[in-house]
Amino acid sequence: MKVLNYLEMESRLHRSGIGTSTQHQRTALGLTDFNVVSSPWNFKYKPNHSVICEFDIAHCNLFGPYSVLVAKTALSRKKPLILHAHVTAEDFADSFRGSTKLSRPLRSYLRWFYSQADRVICPSNYTKNILQSYPIKSPISVMSNGVDIDSLQGFESLREDYRSKYDLSGLTVFSVGNVFERKGLTTFCTLAQSTNYNFVWFGPYETGPIASPSVKKWTRINLPNLTFTGWIPDKRGAYAAGDIFCFPSKVENQGISVLEAMACGKAVVLSDIPVFEEYYTHGKDCLMCHSIDDFKNAIDLLHQDDSLYKKLCKNAQKTANKHTLNILSENLEDIYVSTFDNTI
């Protein structure tokens, strides 16, 4: 069976959570017997032939014009169409300048786009509930984005180099991923202002016209214990250098970096939003916080209580092991086969 697993604008999204999730899918599909292609274009195009390649199942990971073309092609050929809901209007807001205003029309567009699918995949029950509220007409399957544990192997060996590179000593609180206000930027930086711990955010950020005011403000501020690294070539260095992973995100559909931190055996401090409460347990594999004071107290507690720190680290790794790419492979195969059987 030939599967088109397509990510529009892949070259621009490879540093994003969407890009990481798509790569996870393709790695997981490599464990199956599916013939997987990532480009929809028919490079042997001839007059009166489609510009879109042949496939048995189309799986699109974005919602732009080329994804619409692939979706329309699948429907016209009566081939199963799976659309992956990595984005909702809710998590699009508070990302870059103007994104909150754009989230309103985006909701209507996503309702139309996702409703074309024979099956929609999303990474959490939280996201499923959001989509159903739009409402989305298509059936929805929940599937974790997974975590590529193999890609993190050997991270420990990078600790000294990365801590030296960013002048880190003592307890280091860190985050990983694109720098957005939605991901709790102001909370993260306010914590740095109110403590003496090192705070480091590993990940790219905008500096041009589309950068949000909060991103411009905080990435330009001069705090001796706050560092924004920009993009780093090896994500393992981030998990090596940091001690407590702090992710005060306001809205997430899952948050792959949380699973990566857990897979590396890091103590994790999270905001108490529904999606994290769905996947993680306060006091067992993480600490969940509601306010800046909660976050500060949680970090102080982990600094002072070594037994709690080790307990969270150990249980975090157990949680990450429930989201391996082997499990993702089985879930994807089940979704593809059942969608194919129900469509053809």
Side-chain angles (χ1 to χ4, degrees):
M1 189 181 297
K2 186 176 182 179
V3 173
L4 170 60
N5 183 281
Y6 178 48
L7 174 59
E8 189 171 350
M9 299 196 305
E10 184 166 354
S11 63
R12 304 175 84 179
L13 291 171
H14 72 283
R15 299 178 183 178
S16 70
I18 298 173
T20 301
S21 175
T22 303
Q23 186 56 54
H24 287 179
Q25 294 166 33
R26 293 173 184 170
T27 302
L29 288 169
L31 304 174
T32 71
D33 293 329
F34 293 116
N35 175 21
V36 182
V37 295
S38 59
S39 172
W41 309 118
N42 184 359
F43 295 110
K44 297 180 180 179
Y45 174 71
K46 297 179 181 179
N48 301 320
H49 286 69
S50 175
V51 296
I52 303 296
C53 69
E54 294 297 322
F55 54 80
D56 297 303
I57 295 176
H59 180 175
C60 295
N61 283 279
L62 206 62
F63 50 82
Y66 294 132
S67 300
V68 171
L69 177 59
V70 169
K72 293 298 185 185
T73 301
L75 294 173
S76 68
R77 294 177 183 175
K78 297 183 179 180
K79 299 293 186 180
L81 172 64
I82 296 172
L83 299 179
H84 212 122
H86 297 288
V87 177
T88 65
E90 287 72 13
D91 79 282
F92 185 77
D94 248 358
S95 297
F96 53 86
R97 182 181 291 275
S99 62
T100 301
K101 289 184 179 179
L102 288 173
S103 67
R104 295 177 181 177
L106 178 64
R107 178 183 174 120
S108 297
Y109 174 81
L110 292 178
R111 178 172 62 240
W112 166 78
F113 180 70
Y114 292 145
S115 291
Q116 299 179 75
D118 295 298
R119 175 71 54 180
V120 171
I121 299 176
C122 65
S124 61
N125 283 303
Y126 161 77
T127 307
K128 180 178 180 179
N129 291 336
I130 291 291
L131 295 175
Q132 288 176 331
S133 74
Y134 281 14
I136 301 300
K137 299 177 182 178
S138 304
I140 302 172
S141 293
V142 174
M143 183 186 74
S144 170
N145 286 314
V147 58
D148 188 352
I149 294 176
D150 288 344
S151 72
L152 299 166
Q153 294 300 314
F155 76 93
E156 302 97 333
S157 65
L158 302 176
R159 183 171 174 86
E160 184 176 341
D161 287 346
Y162 271 74
R163 285 178 71 85
S164 175
K165 180 176 182 179
Y166 297 108
D167 194 24
L168 304 174
S169 61
L171 184 77
T172 298
V173 181
F174 73 111
S175 192
V176 177
N178 288 286
V179 180
F180 293 143
E181 179 57 33
R182 171 178 64 81
K183 293 184 177 290
L185 173 61
T186 295
T187 297
F188 188 85
C189 296
T190 302
L191 286 167
Q193 284 183 318
S194 62
T195 72
N196 294 319
Y197 307 121
N198 285 304
F199 279 73
V200 186
W201 194 308
F202 295 92
Y205 55 91
E206 290 289 342
T207 58
I210 68 170
S212 70
S214 63
V215 170
K216 287 184 177 180
K217 170 189 173 181
W218 290 113
T219 55
R220 292 173 181 173
I221 199 169
N222 184 20
L223 286 178
N225 66 330
L226 175 63
T227 302
F228 292 93
T229 68
W231 181 76
I232 60 172
D234 191 340
K235 66 183 178 183
R236 297 180 303 161
Y239 298 111
D243 300 304
I244 296 176
F245 182 78
C246 180
F247 202 56
S249 187
K250 302 173 185 177
V251 179
E252 289 291 328
N253 290 314
Q254 186 175 23
I256 294 174
S257 60
V258 179
L259 284 173
E260 290 180 337
M262 288 185 164
C264 291
K266 298 297 175 176
V268 171
V269 180
L270 305 171
S271 49
D272 59 351
I273 56 177
V275 70
F276 292 155
E277 292 176 336
E278 176 182 336
Y279 276 113
Y280 314 119
T281 304
H282 174 72
K284 182 179 179 181
D285 53 11
C286 68
L287 294 180
M288 292 191 186
C289 306
H290 187 72
S291 66
I292 289 177
D293 284 343
D294 288 346
F295 275 100
K296 185 177 182 302
N297 292 336
I299 293 168
D300 285 341
L301 179 60
L302 289 172
H303 184 219
Q304 297 161 7
D305 190 337
D306 189 57
S307 63
L308 176 62
Y309 181 88
K310 290 179 178 178
K311 170 190 169 184
L312 294 187
C313 293
K314 181 179 179 180
N315 288 335
Q317 285 186 306
K318 292 180 180 178
T319 295
N321 286 333
K322 298 177 182 177
H323 297 265
T324 64
L325 296 192
N326 285 326
I327 296 172
L328 176 61
S329 172
E330 295 172 2
N331 291 337
L332 264 179
E333 186 168 19
D334 288 344
I335 290 173
Y336 283 0
V337 170
S338 63
T339 304
F340 184 86
D341 290 345
N342 291 330
T343 304
I344 302 301

